[in-house]
Amino acid sequence: MTAPDINSPAEQERYERGLEVLATVDGGSAPAVMDSLADVAPALAHHIVAFGFGDIYARPGLDPKQRQLVTLGILTALGGCEPQLEVHLKTALNVGLTPTEIVESLTHAAGYCGFPRALNAVTVAKKVFAERDLLPIAT
Amino acid sequence: MTAPDINSPAEQERYERGLEVLATVDGGSAPAVMDSLADVAPALAHHIVAFGFGDIYARPGLDPKQRQLVTLGILTALGGCEPQLEVHLKTALNVGLTPTEIVESLTHAAGYCGFPRALNAVTVAKKVFAERDLLPIAT
Amino acid sequence: MTAPDINSPAEQERYERGLEVLATVDGGSAPAVMDSLADVAPALAHHIVAFGFGDIYARPGLDPKQRQLVTLGILTALGGCEPQLEVHLKTALNVGLTPTEIVESLTHAAGYCGFPRALNAVTVAKKVFAERDLLPIAT
Amino acid sequence: MTAPDINSPAEQERYERGLEVLATVDGGSAPAVMDSLADVAPALAHHIVAFGFGDIYARPGLDPKQRQLVTLGILTALGGCEPQLEVHLKTALNVGLTPTEIVESLTHAAGYCGFPRALNAVTVAKKVFAERDLLPIAT
Amino acid sequence: MTAPDINSPAEQERYERGLEVLATVDGGSAPAVMDSLADVAPALAHHIVAFGFGDIYARPGLDPKQRQLVTLGILTALGGCEPQLEVHLKTALNVGLTPTEIVESLTHAAGYCGFPRALNAVTVAKKVFAERDLLPIAT
Amino acid sequence: MTAPDINSPAEQERYERGLEVLATVDGGSAPAVMDSLADVAPALAHHIVAFGFGDIYARPGLDPKQRQLVTLGILTALGGCEPQLEVHLKTALNVGLTPTEIVESLTHAAGYCGFPRALNAVTVAKKVFAERDLLPIAT
């Protein structure tokens, strides 16, 4: 019993479904990180898309804004996930969370995982907001 | 320069304000955990209420359902916070998140902090849902 | 674009494949934890089996003993995953790691994630070994 | 019931008190990190000062050297908090911990959270000590 | 090149030295946890004593009270280390930290690693203090 | 009772033994990180070599490839240990793990500690593989 070939038609179909979900939340371009995995960890890239987006993100039960709030909480708490936090902060904006809601989420996080983790997340948010000319945010 | 006495009128006012916020989200009874701190860490209990609820939770920018989604993400990712997760799962229900939304949040978390952390959180959720006769949840 | 129904034929086939993989490493009985999720988080249970075992564990590139060594390292480092560590210590024995190799892995871990995490893992290992009459282990 | 406006007189008074505490331990200049938050997360900056320093740091019960030892332990164990560790290593020196005491704390940490976390903390300490011409440290 | 036998005279001497250090801080009885490791992970037990106490704890540069402050910070931040935290809270009392200093350390920790981790640590502290009739603590 | 002087003959002998072990797995040159510690944390450097390699790594019970699998699992799960992960990915190659086995370990890790931690580890692996002209890896 071995895992399905990620290049099989069935897996490619799962992958395509994930890509479509990803496109609806990341603004139409698959994150560059996926491409960068092609020569080193193609199976990981495949499953992030096929499983992470196609199987999980696309599930009913939570809308994309809710999913991003949970995700921001997780990535802030984990720490050391600045590259992923940057991707998900952009996604958060793409799906309609306002900069104010995003910053409020990170400020809220301080009580649960401490000021240092919250500060690190806000530093990434500032970079993302600056790139989109969203500073200063309304408070 | 020393910190204000937590029994000063100004601090008691801050505490009362936090308690009012807490009462609106926890169903009217301050968590028993606050009482249990009285003889060992009264300042910690004071600041959880005065700062955590009075200063942060009561801020505009996110509604209570959104705050609970962020909090569930954080507590799931941290791990080892089962007592606090239990309190916040109850709060999540109190502020109007459905069991389906809660479980979907924890299922979503698996991709970001792994299956073990998600499983531990679901185990606590099952206990909370069972106490409120909410099982099986709709999916 | 929504996620596939976990009860669809295609997903059930993925699930069955995962169950077969799981059966080869856990000694023939799916962990009770899967059953306990049925009324609270069936999608999480589905994906642990379909994705975790069917898509990942069954991949070539590492044999089961190697996968368990990586897994023991991760669960020891994460901390707070004692229930999952217990399952995976049993799996480690099932796939042929010796008690000595397992304990050596946890002793090795002390240098990388500290004595407390290693001690907690060893405490679970002692329980698993005792249930299988494997104490004292050879050193 | 909403949180107090951080620009209200009462909150500004709390903030000023926190700034005074901060000034006594950071050498007279509020960390630049506070300024960098002004356009993105002013409430977070406010509460780090008003709560973190005014309400907590200024409490009796521990002197600043003791507080910094606890803080160094926490930041080393958390990992991924190098910017905050740099600030707190400088504070540690400011309040009178010697380089030897600081390094001994990080060496001590290795047994509890592993060599990698201790190494990352020492790397930051080396940078801070070098800027102050404190290398080599006495051992 | 293999590691020295932990039963060799040189290693036994290192172990004895660690035991002596341990005895000075834990009140004269080696923690029961060491004995519990004898049939499952004797090398881990050996090195906790020989390395952790004989090589590190006994170093100059920090006194035992300072070491315990660092250790409390680390164990609080790590989470999931309640058994080790209990041992080290007792050690903290043994070496002369007051209950007030200990609780202040855990209250201080809240700002750096969040209220949930601080609450879990205080829960263990309350148990330890109760066993020694130290409640309520002076604040 | 004080810790042994790390410059004593007995400790230097322990250090030399550790260096020999280190040389067999890191390709003959002690990592530069050890040298960089000389003026700031020589005792930490000493014990990483004497204890980490001389006492632990050199123990029987696991071969070097097995130790590296456990280590990769731990460092991936901890997060924020990219410098140490880079060293240990090189060691993994040196002791005979193939790039495919290494990437499979990191892909496997995703299910246990989440995609973000796995992605960060793969990013470091890609850098190490590129330096050794090992891309694209076989899958």
Side-chain angles (χ1 to χ4, degrees), chain F residues 6 9 28 36 38 43 45-49 51 53 71 92-93 102-103 108 111 124 135-136:
Chain F
I6 61 174
S36 78
H46 175 85
H47 289 301
I48 288 173
V49 173
F51 171 67
F53 287 90
T71 306
L93 290 169
I102 289 169
V103 168
H108 178 80
V124 183
L135 294 178

Side-chain angles (χ1 to χ4, degrees), chain D residues 3-55:
Chain D
D5 185 338
I6 62 174
N7 297 310
S8 66
E11 284 300 310
Q12 284 299 305
E13 190 184 310
R14 291 182 66 227
Y15 184 75
E16 290 301 324
R17 192 172 58 221
L19 271 189
E20 283 186 52
V21 178
L22 188 53
T24 64
V25 298
D26 83 340
S29 62
V33 69
M34 291 304 132
D35 293 338
S36 79
L37 295 176
D39 60 353
V40 63
L44 184 62
H46 175 85
H47 289 302
I48 288 173
V49 173
F51 171 68
F53 286 90
D55 288 351

Side-chain angles (χ1 to χ4, degrees), chain A residues 32-46 48 80 83-84, chain F residues 72 75-77 79 81-82 85-86 89 99-110 113-131 135 137 139:
Chain A
V33 68
M34 291 305 132
D35 293 337
S36 79
L37 296 176
D39 61 352
V40 62
L44 184 61
H46 175 85
I48 288 173
Q84 293 77 34
Chain F
L72 293 181
L75 293 176
T76 299
C81 294
E82 283 73 15
L85 193 54
E86 184 175 336
L89 285 162
T100 301
E101 287 172 320
I102 289 169
V103 168
E104 194 60 37
S105 299
L106 306 183
T107 301
H108 178 80
C113 54
F115 289 115
R117 292 276 193 248
L119 280 169
N120 284 338
V122 164
T123 299
V124 183
K126 180 168 178 169
K127 175 170 176 278
V128 169
F129 295 164
E131 288 171 6
L135 294 178
I137 71 156
T139 54

Side-chain angles (χ1 to χ4, degrees), chain D residues 18-96:
Chain D
L19 271 189
E20 283 186 52
V21 178
L22 188 53
T24 64
V25 298
D26 83 340
S29 62
V33 69
M34 291 304 132
D35 293 338
S36 79
L37 295 176
D39 60 353
V40 63
L44 184 62
H46 175 85
H47 289 302
I48 288 173
V49 173
F51 171 68
F53 286 90
D55 288 351
I56 300 294
Y57 207 102
R59 286 176 52 77
L62 287 178
D63 65 37
K65 288 202 281 189
Q66 290 176 308
R67 286 190 188 274
Q68 289 310 116
L69 289 170
V70 176
T71 307
L72 293 181
I74 293 170
L75 293 176
T76 299
L78 284 178
C81 294
E82 283 74 14
Q84 292 79 34
L85 193 54
E86 184 175 337
V87 169
H88 280 282
L89 285 162
K90 290 175 183 171
T91 301
L93 290 169
N94 289 341
V95 301

Side-chain angles (χ1 to χ4, degrees), chain C residues 48-70:
Chain C
I48 289 173
V49 173
F51 171 68
F53 287 90
D55 287 351
I56 300 294
Y57 207 102
R59 286 177 52 77
L62 287 178
D63 65 36
K65 288 201 282 190
Q66 289 176 307
R67 287 189 187 276
Q68 289 311 114
L69 289 170
V70 176

Side-chain angles (χ1 to χ4, degrees), chain E residues 1 6 11 26 39 42 54-55 60-61 63 66 89 91 98 109 113 116 120 122-123 125 128 134:
Chain E
M1 181 59 51
I6 62 175
E11 284 301 307
D26 84 340
D39 59 354
D55 287 351
D63 66 36
Q66 290 176 308
L89 285 162
T91 301
T98 66
C113 55
N120 284 339
V122 164
T123 299
V128 169
L134 296 169

Side-chain angles (χ1 to χ4, degrees), chain C residues 61-117:
Chain C
L62 287 178
D63 65 36
K65 288 201 282 190
Q66 289 176 307
R67 287 189 187 276
Q68 289 311 114
L69 289 170
V70 176
T71 307
L72 293 181
I74 294 170
L75 293 176
T76 299
L78 285 177
C81 295
E82 283 73 15
Q84 293 78 33
L85 194 54
E86 183 175 339
V87 168
H88 281 282
L89 285 163
K90 290 176 183 170
T91 301
L93 291 169
N94 290 342
V95 301
L97 286 172
T98 66
T100 301
E101 287 171 320
I102 290 169
V103 169
E104 194 61 37
S105 300
L106 307 182
T107 301
H108 178 81
Y112 298 94
C113 55
F115 289 115
R117 292 277 192 247

Side-chain angles (χ1 to χ4, degrees), chain F residues 10-78:
Chain F
E11 283 301 308
Q12 283 299 305
E13 189 184 312
R14 290 183 67 229
Y15 184 74
E16 290 300 324
R17 192 172 58 220
L19 271 190
E20 283 186 51
V21 178
L22 188 52
T24 64
V25 298
D26 83 341
S29 61
V33 69
M34 291 304 132
D35 292 338
S36 78
L37 296 175
D39 61 353
V40 62
L44 184 61
H46 175 85
H47 289 301
I48 288 173
V49 173
F51 171 67
F53 287 90
D55 287 351
I56 300 294
Y57 208 102
R59 285 177 52 77
L62 287 178
D63 66 37
K65 289 202 279 190
Q66 290 176 309
R67 288 190 186 273
Q68 288 310 116
L69 289 170
V70 176
T71 306
L72 293 181
I74 293 170
L75 293 176
T76 299
L78 285 178

